[in-house]
Amino acid sequence: MALLFLRDIQLSFGAAPLLNKVSLQIEANDRVCIVGRNGEGKSTLLKVIEGLIQADDGTRIVQDGVHIAKLQQEVPHDTHGSVFHIIAEGLGDIAPLLDKFHKLSLKMEQDYSDEVLEHFTQVQQEIDAKNGWELNQKVDTVISKLGLPADAEFSTLSGGMKRRVLLAKALVQEPDILLLDEPTNHLDIPSIQWMENFLNGMRCALVFITHDRSFLQALANRIVELDRGRLSNWECDYHTYLERKAEWLEAEAKQNAEFDKKLAQEETWIRQGIKARRTRNEGRVRALKKLREEHNARRSQQGTATLQANTADTSGKQVIEIKDLSFNFPNKPIVNNLSTVIMRGDKVGIIGENGCGKSTLLALLLDKLAPQSGTIKLGTNLKIAYFDQHRAQLDEERPVIESVLDESDHVEINGQRKHVMGYLGDFLFTPDRARQPVKALSGGERNRLLLARVFAKPSNLLILDEPTNDLDVETLELLEELLMNYQGTVLIVSHDREFLNNVCTSSLVFDAPGDVNEYVGGYDDWLRQRPARYSEINKTGKADKKAEVKVATTETQSAPSAAESKPVPKKKLSYKDQREYDMLPQLLEDLETEIEALNDAIAQPDFYQQDQESVQAKLDQLQNKETELEKAFERWEELEALIS
């Protein structure tokens, strides 16, 4: 029996129904991805499944005992509290008691007193009364499984860690169906891959929305497409769906052409007058009326965006020459001794984790920052168009139609003059939408508007900082095609692995803090070519010493010496040393997490706009944490050496 069943769901917010008698069932262990263009109603359908929106008509049936949880789309910016507290909130009313118990447990270890003991005992009794110990164990289990720092402050975590905490909050409810709306939004590639692998190992049904094609292909075993209010089910992976969908659209177009031909013939007949027997004519008139109704009820497929870039005159053959480039913030290396030459026609991907310095590198190339050493030499006759991921070029209050060009209502694309309204139509903006202010647009629409603005400017060098965010799959593929056929040079920052694979001829990769290397090809090509040592670099930028020690131990064991006949007994640590040794892995992990959060904060564009005292305090905090981490690694190695 299905865990959840939707039957003939009808829902409208305007003239055309958003959901038009759609039916869907979710089985145990399903991996269902809802696909469709921006604005088709995918998130609305997810809310109907969750029960947050009541349909105008139709039936929603949930099997007894089935629990549904959701990973929210946006990471909250004003949420505070420990990781334990945030996760425990998923358990409802018992959460405040469990949070108190957790905090008092820590306090008992650090600052024991009779008053603390009394309070601790009282909380224990309240949890006993509500049978809350099993729920507390669930929180501890999820925290351990996802490798989360239980006592860390949520607001200090990186974006990827915050999303991991929110996932834990959903998982602690032990859902039968987990809903995810764009779970990879604004995550870097390592975070996306972690989520991909974790979700693949789950034992509940997944229903998710994503525009990340690599993520979709890796996770989904069923595709559900929402198109013009109708829902179609495809029992296959994403690549197979694309092939079958193309065949289906071709058949639909043929069927519609035959229908339109018959309707045209009947319209011609009725205009000529009724000449045959009356009863037969009345039947034919009724049939014509039915044909007209069917034609009027048909919803045509939404038009396809027509993306064109306004190409300037050809640039010089050598576009950018970088020689021994170095630039670093205090206690944060960005790039050291980078040398490369970018030639005309190159499509260069810039790859790295969030906060590593990708946007800073672009600022150096755009002459917004000066190198601390080395040189950047730009070629001749360059016309640069820049896509800013923060959309700073868009004024929230201005109408869309005034946001494409600053001083004209006509745009000239490769010699063809076009009114700005028609040009916006190429980017799927209706006249009504084009007259609304920018602040009324969705994320995907804002990205399309910014693309329209960037492509209207004559250019032979495109610099695109995360242009793929919030774009639907069809627009993504059109953008790929445009960039592959673009005659100039392209620099792209993106976390979309398939996009990088399809567009890039070479890649600049932040393999480690300050260590930027060049590779031929896109993302998968980089994975094949990168030296093995980079896979051992952790997020603090230091080689993973635990891995190094394990490798060294394995090598020693695999090369027996002449004196091997006498096994050397392992030394036993004292109680104090053993306890310290057992606690060090968690301490290392906590310090690495804090350092990552501090690095993310320092990497924010407005960080150095604060007063000097606040900036220095944060930099000092980072330096202290890095010193603590180094000492902890050294102590770990000392203790490891004692028992080896």
Side-chain angles (χ1 to χ4, degrees):
M1 180 178 176
L3 300 177
L4 178 142
F5 184 57
L6 303 181
R7 182 169 58 207
D8 295 334
I9 295 294
Q10 188 82 13
L11 184 63
S12 299
F13 294 122
L18 199 61
L19 302 176
N20 187 12
K21 294 191 176 298
V22 305
S23 296
L24 173 69
Q25 66 180 38
I26 307 297
E27 305 281 354
N29 297 319
D30 264 347
R31 300 283 189 270
V32 181
C33 183
I34 304 173
V35 301
R37 286 187 170 183
N38 290 335
E40 284 286 352
K42 302 186 296 295
S43 294
T44 301
L45 176 58
L46 215 60
K47 290 175 182 176
V48 172
I49 293 172
E50 189 180 3
L52 289 181
I53 291 181
Q54 181 70 39
D56 299 332
D57 196 14
T59 307
R60 174 181 177 270
I61 302 171
V62 182
Q63 186 179 329
D64 288 343
V66 167
H67 182 68
I68 302 172
K70 182 180 179 181
L71 173 63
Q72 58 200 86
Q73 182 177 11
E74 297 297 330
V75 175
H77 298 293
D78 56 350
T79 299
H80 298 277
S82 69
V83 168
F84 186 96
H85 171 74
I86 300 298
I87 296 172
E89 283 181 340
L91 298 174
D93 295 340
I94 193 71
L97 275 179
L98 296 180
D99 188 42
K100 278 184 187 177
F101 174 77
H102 181 70
K103 289 177 179 176
L104 286 168
S105 298
L106 292 175
K107 197 166 185 179
M108 289 277 287
E109 293 179 6
Q110 300 166 1
D111 187 21
Y112 176 84
S113 69
D114 291 339
E115 184 181 351
V116 173
L117 177 59
E118 183 180 351
H119 194 186
F120 182 77
T121 305
Q122 181 185 348
V123 172
Q124 275 187 315
Q125 291 170 351
E126 290 182 49
I127 294 175
D128 279 333
K130 295 186 177 183
N131 295 318
W133 295 115
E134 183 181 347
L135 300 179
N136 187 75
Q137 182 60 37
K138 287 181 181 179
V139 177
D140 288 337
T141 300
V142 170
I143 286 174
S144 174
K145 191 173 183 181
L146 272 67
L148 298 171
D151 304 315
E153 167 59 38
F154 180 80
S155 59
T156 66
L157 300 179
S158 65
M161 285 298 287
K162 284 180 179 177
R163 218 169 251 283
R164 196 181 293 199
V165 172
L166 295 176
L167 177 61
K169 181 180 177 180
L171 294 180
V172 78
Q173 303 170 45
E174 296 185 344
D176 301 286
I177 302 174
L178 179 61
L179 309 178
L180 307 103
D181 193 352
E182 294 288 358
T184 64
N185 253 7
H186 307 289
L187 294 184
D188 56 21
I189 292 175
S191 298
I192 292 171
Q193 290 175 320
W194 175 88
M195 183 169 285
E196 189 178 285
N197 294 331
F198 183 83
L199 292 175
N200 253 326
M202 290 188 60
R203 295 184 178 179
C204 66
L206 299 177
V207 183
F208 62 99
I209 299 169
T210 186
H211 296 148
D212 187 315
R213 292 160 293 176
S214 297
F215 184 83
L216 197 167
Q217 175 65 20
L219 208 57
N221 59 18
R222 180 153 66 101
I223 309 294
V224 172
E225 182 186 28
L226 188 56
D227 180 24
R228 292 164 280 174
R230 300 281 187 178
L231 209 61
S232 56
N233 186 66
W234 308 79
E235 298 277 354
C236 57
D237 64 10
Y238 178 64
H239 290 158
T240 307
Y241 150 77
L242 290 177
E243 297 171 1
R244 294 179 183 176
K245 174 67 175 178
E247 295 170 358
W248 185 86
L249 285 174
E250 186 178 347
E252 182 191 46
K254 184 177 180 181
Q255 182 180 352
N256 286 342
E258 293 174 353
F259 179 94
D260 292 344
K261 181 179 179 181
K262 182 177 181 181
L263 177 60
Q265 291 171 342
E266 294 304 291
E267 293 287 5
T268 301
W269 166 78
I270 201 166
R271 285 195 297 271
Q272 291 175 347
I274 301 173
K275 300 177 181 178
R277 290 168 47 191
R278 183 175 179 82
T279 54
R280 182 180 301 171
N281 290 340
E282 287 177 350
R284 193 168 179 179
V285 169
R286 286 194 298 271
L288 174 58
K289 185 179 179 181
K290 186 177 180 181
L291 287 174
R292 287 172 173 170
E293 289 172 351
E294 288 181 26
H295 185 270
N296 291 336
R298 183 202 301 170
R299 291 173 62 181
S300 299
Q301 188 177 25
Q302 185 183 355
T304 300
T306 307
L307 306 186
Q308 294 185 70
N310 198 1
T311 308
D313 294 336
T314 304
S315 69
K317 187 174 182 181
Q318 186 169 291
V319 176
I320 303 175
E321 181 184 14
I322 303 173
K323 189 172 182 180
D324 298 326
L325 172 65
S326 291
F327 184 91
N328 299 295
F329 292 116
N331 299 314
K332 181 174 175 59
I334 300 297
V335 55
N336 290 313
N337 300 318
L338 172 63
S339 296
T340 186
V341 176
I342 297 173
M343 306 298 290
R344 183 178 63 225
D346 284 351
K347 311 293 190 294
V348 183
I350 300 177
I351 302 172
E353 296 180 9
N354 285 338
C356 68
K358 301 184 297 298
S359 296
T360 302
L361 178 58
L362 291 186
L364 288 164
L365 299 180
L366 289 168
D367 200 26
K368 293 181 179 180
L369 288 174
Q372 292 168 345
S373 64
T375 58
I376 298 174
K377 183 180 178 182
L378 299 182
T380 58
N381 197 33
L382 282 184
K383 300 291 183 183
I384 301 174
Y386 175 52
F387 181 101
D388 171 24
Q389 64 162 315
H390 303 293
R391 307 175 185 132
Q393 301 172 45
L394 299 179
D395 184 339
E396 295 277 307
E397 302 300 326
R398 292 184 73 181
V400 170
I401 193 171
E402 295 178 10
S403 300
V404 177
L405 299 170
D406 293 324
E407 298 177 354
S408 175
D409 57 0
H410 282 79
V411 59
E412 189 167 320
I413 302 293
N414 301 325
Q416 182 181 359
R417 185 175 170 82
K418 183 179 288 190
H419 190 273
V420 67
M421 187 68 82
Y423 178 66
L424 282 170
D426 291 342
F427 288 80
L428 302 182
F429 287 99
T430 63
D432 287 343
R433 203 65 173 155
R435 293 187 182 93
Q436 293 184 341
V438 171
K439 64 184 179 183
L441 302 181
S442 67
E445 287 174 321
R446 292 185 191 206
N447 261 26
R448 273 193 272 121
L449 174 59
L450 188 51
L451 286 173
R453 180 180 173 87
V454 169
F455 291 160
K457 180 180 180 181
S459 68
N460 48 36
L461 172 59
L462 284 175
I463 299 182
L464 309 175
D465 192 357
E466 299 199 25
T468 62
N469 285 343
D470 303 310
L471 293 181
D472 59 39
V473 172
E474 187 165 341
T475 307
L476 266 177
E477 291 173 346
L478 290 169
L479 179 59
E480 284 177 359
E481 185 177 354
L482 179 147
L483 295 178
M484 286 188 286
N485 296 326
Y486 182 68
Q487 296 301 306
T489 308
V490 184
L491 301 181
I492 313 163
V493 174
S494 179
H495 297 306
D496 188 317
R497 292 162 287 175
E498 185 137 344
F499 187 83
L500 291 167
N501 284 335
N502 293 341
V503 174
C504 296
T505 58
S506 65
S507 300
L508 289 173
V509 184
F510 286 75
D511 281 313
D515 196 355
V516 182
N517 298 296
E518 185 176 15
Y519 300 88
V520 175
Y523 177 77
D524 287 345
D525 297 304
W526 162 60
L527 291 182
R528 286 191 291 270
Q529 297 172 61
R530 65 175 175 173
R533 68 180 182 277
Y534 288 124
S535 63
E536 301 298 332
I537 300 295
N538 63 27
K539 293 185 178 180
T540 65
K542 299 179 176 64
D544 189 338
K545 297 188 180 182
K546 288 179 276 186
E548 290 176 3
V549 172
K550 289 177 184 176
V551 171
T553 304
T554 304
E555 290 174 351
T556 302
Q557 291 173 348
S558 60
S561 64
E564 192 179 1
S565 56
K566 294 183 179 180
V568 179
K570 287 188 176 182
K571 297 180 182 177
K572 188 175 181 180
L573 296 176
S574 68
Y575 173 79
K576 181 181 177 182
D577 287 344
Q578 183 64 52
R579 181 170 174 76
E580 183 184 4
Y581 180 75
D582 293 339
M583 293 175 66
L584 271 171
Q586 185 61 51
L587 175 62
L588 292 170
E589 186 174 343
D590 291 346
L591 287 169
E592 289 169 358
T593 302
E594 291 178 45
I595 289 170
E596 182 186 7
L598 288 168
N599 279 326
D600 286 344
I602 291 169
Q604 296 303 310
D606 59 351
F607 175 75
Y608 287 96
Q609 296 173 13
Q610 303 176 81
D611 60 272
Q612 185 60 35
E613 187 177 342
S614 299
V615 170
Q616 193 58 49
K618 188 72 74 174
L619 295 175
D620 290 344
Q621 186 182 0
L622 177 62
Q623 185 173 6
N624 291 337
K625 292 296 179 184
E626 289 181 334
T627 302
E628 285 183 50
L629 181 67
E630 191 64 36
K631 289 180 178 178
F633 271 129
E634 290 172 0
R635 181 58 177 159
W636 186 87
E637 287 182 333
E638 289 173 7
L639 295 173
E640 184 77 9
L642 290 175
I643 59 174
S644 61

